[in-house]
Amino acid sequence: MQAIIQDSYQGIEALKLQQRPLAALNPLAVRVETRYTPVMPYDVLTETGQLKQLRPVKLPLVVGYGFGGIVREVGQLRHTQLLDRPVIGVQPTGSHQEQLLSTLPPLLWPVPANVSLAAATTLIGGGDTAYFALKKSHLHAGDTALITGASGSVGTYLIQLLHLFDIHVIAVGHSTRHDLLRELGAEQVIDYDRPLAEQLTVTGAVDQLIDLAGSPQLLDQLTALLGTVPILSLALTSYASQPAFTFASGTILPKDYRWLLNQLAQGTIRAIIQERLPFTAVKTAQHHLLEQHAAGRILLTYHQED
Ligand SMILES: NC(=O)c1ccc[n+]([C@@H]2O[C@H](COP(=O)([O-])OP(=O)(O)OC[C@H]3O[C@@H](n4cnc5c(N)ncnc54)[C@H](OP(=O)(O)O)[C@@H]3O)[C@@H](O)[C@H]2O)c1
């Protein structure tokens, strides 16, 4: 079984593909044949050591956080109905590997029949974070939110969730992604590459700024126009220029994942997949994450497409 390994803090180019044995099944575990894993900023930040404070790790480690796959074996204490079912899950010990043992039952969710496994996989580290941000925000129906980093994986879900709860959205993203942002429910779109003053026409009406871009310079420009506005950032741990600034990091409940999967099943939200690349091309995938304008999530694939 091949896995993507980080054994230094030298970044993307130092990643290695290694053959690794899979641990033996235990009564609580299920063995999952991996189909997709999401390529996340979290991976790259871990690889460069930038997350050491928030997430201390021991090297070497298997890179990655979430997965979508097919259950191939179940331990004695797990439901046999899981066998051969498509599932998504969180794997805190690393997910970018051809097979994995999922040992924490609350961190595995069966995927409804009418939801593609690739779409469901984008909930991990994308839809879940967007839902977390919505719950952490002070926003209510009728309010207006301004989102930076709106075309990324978290942002594309957050726009849809805010829209679902009747919250108006102003989305900041690259101009090549504006059609997508509008399709997802943004009422106003702003290009971060053009002067903001001529684009931001509803300054008085922003109830909360949700920052997914993590750029202090962009926040400086926005707050110069908006004045004091509560900022909830998932991307910057501190921002000295505003008193009403909060950084948040966290997870949602297992029932929230079931709710998100149901929304995908009902078509009230949809997954935006930027690109799928074989796991052996992980370095290319991570460069695309950093260097291309985001349009949802990049997925690594592990087997022939289903
Ligand atoms: N706190 C938590 O619990 C938690 C959990 C998950 C993720 N996060 C963080 O949340 C953020 C979003 O995650 P994601 O997975 O959605 O990332 P992503 O898919 O890479 O999206 C990042 C977005 O930010 C934009 N951006 C980056 N730098 C920018 C700049 N200088 N000016 C304007 N826009 C900029 C990008 O725009 P372009 O593509 O056009 O450059 C892109 O739309 C990341 O910082 C991630 O680390 C936090």
Side-chain angles (χ1 to χ4, degrees):
M1 191 244 336
Q2 291 199 89
I4 299 165
I5 303 294
Q6 172 188 347
D7 62 3
S8 75
Y9 292 109
Q10 303 298 309
I12 298 174
E13 295 311 321
L15 289 177
K16 296 187 173 79
L17 270 176
Q18 271 179 13
Q19 282 290 341
R20 288 220 154 177
L22 191 68
L25 195 72
N26 66 56
L28 264 183
V30 304
R31 183 173 65 82
V32 177
E33 200 175 86
T34 313
R35 289 286 202 268
Y36 304 101
T37 57
V39 177
M40 294 167 47
Y42 165 92
D43 302 346
V44 181
L45 293 170
T46 303
E47 288 155 25
T48 51
Q50 287 166 274
L51 277 191
K52 275 183 188 168
Q53 299 279 341
L54 283 177
R55 184 201 176 207
V57 291
K58 269 192 174 173
L59 301 181
L61 58 77
V62 177
V63 185
Y65 175 75
F67 65 87
I70 311 291
V71 175
R72 291 302 185 206
E73 233 180 321
V74 295
Q76 289 154 3
L77 297 175
R78 299 296 288 266
H79 291 299
T80 49
Q81 302 104 286
L82 281 174
L83 263 180
D84 296 324
R85 288 283 306 269
V87 291
I88 57 169
V90 170
Q91 187 78 348
T93 53
S95 64
H96 294 333
Q97 48 189 341
E98 289 179 290
Q99 294 183 37
L100 47 85
L101 277 191
S102 172
T103 55
L104 298 168
L107 299 187
L108 191 84
W109 300 274
V111 176
N114 63 340
V115 176
S116 81
L117 185 50
T121 304
T122 68
L123 290 180
I124 311 290
D128 52 2
T129 308
Y131 198 26
F132 168 77
L134 174 65
K135 288 173 149 206
K136 274 273 166 193
S137 78
H138 307 127
L139 294 161
H140 299 102
D143 286 348
T144 297
L146 185 147
I147 309 174
T148 68
S151 74
S153 179
V154 179
T156 48
Y157 272 116
L158 185 57
I159 295 171
Q160 298 180 78
L161 292 175
L162 292 167
H163 187 59
L164 198 59
F165 288 96
D166 293 324
I167 295 159
H168 306 288
V169 178
I170 304 171
V172 182
H174 192 262
S175 56
T176 53
R177 302 298 182 234
H178 283 186
D179 287 348
L180 172 67
L181 301 179
R182 282 197 200 90
E183 266 171 42
L184 296 174
E187 289 168 33
Q188 197 187 335
V189 289
I190 289 179
D191 182 0
Y192 58 71
D193 264 349
R194 281 181 37 224
L196 301 185
E198 62 192 45
Q199 303 178 70
L200 198 52
T201 53
V202 291
T203 50
V206 174
D207 296 287
Q208 192 156 22
L209 191 165
I210 302 185
D211 171 42
L212 305 172
S215 161
Q217 294 78 12
L218 181 59
L219 291 182
D220 288 347
Q221 291 177 52
L222 286 166
T223 52
L225 296 168
L226 295 170
T228 303
V229 58
I231 301 174
L232 175 66
S233 182
L234 275 70
L236 271 184
T237 50
S238 64
Y239 175 62
S241 314
Q242 278 267 333
F245 175 89
T246 313
F247 166 72
S249 178
T251 52
I252 57 171
L253 299 169
K255 72 176 174 59
D256 297 331
Y257 281 95
R258 288 191 287 277
W259 182 83
L260 285 166
L261 283 162
N262 257 328
Q263 299 311 307
L264 284 178
Q266 289 165 22
T268 48
I269 60 173
R270 67 187 169 101
I272 306 299
I273 298 172
Q274 179 172 331
E275 189 182 14
R276 303 170 196 220
L277 286 166
F279 74 98
T280 46
V282 62
K283 294 181 189 179
T284 306
Q286 292 192 352
H287 280 296
H288 287 184
L289 172 75
L290 297 183
E291 291 150 25
Q292 295 183 348
H293 293 302
R297 181 61 82 212
I298 299 171
L299 292 176
L300 296 180
T301 63
Y302 291 78
H303 286 78
Q304 294 284 315
E305 296 276 323
D306 299 277

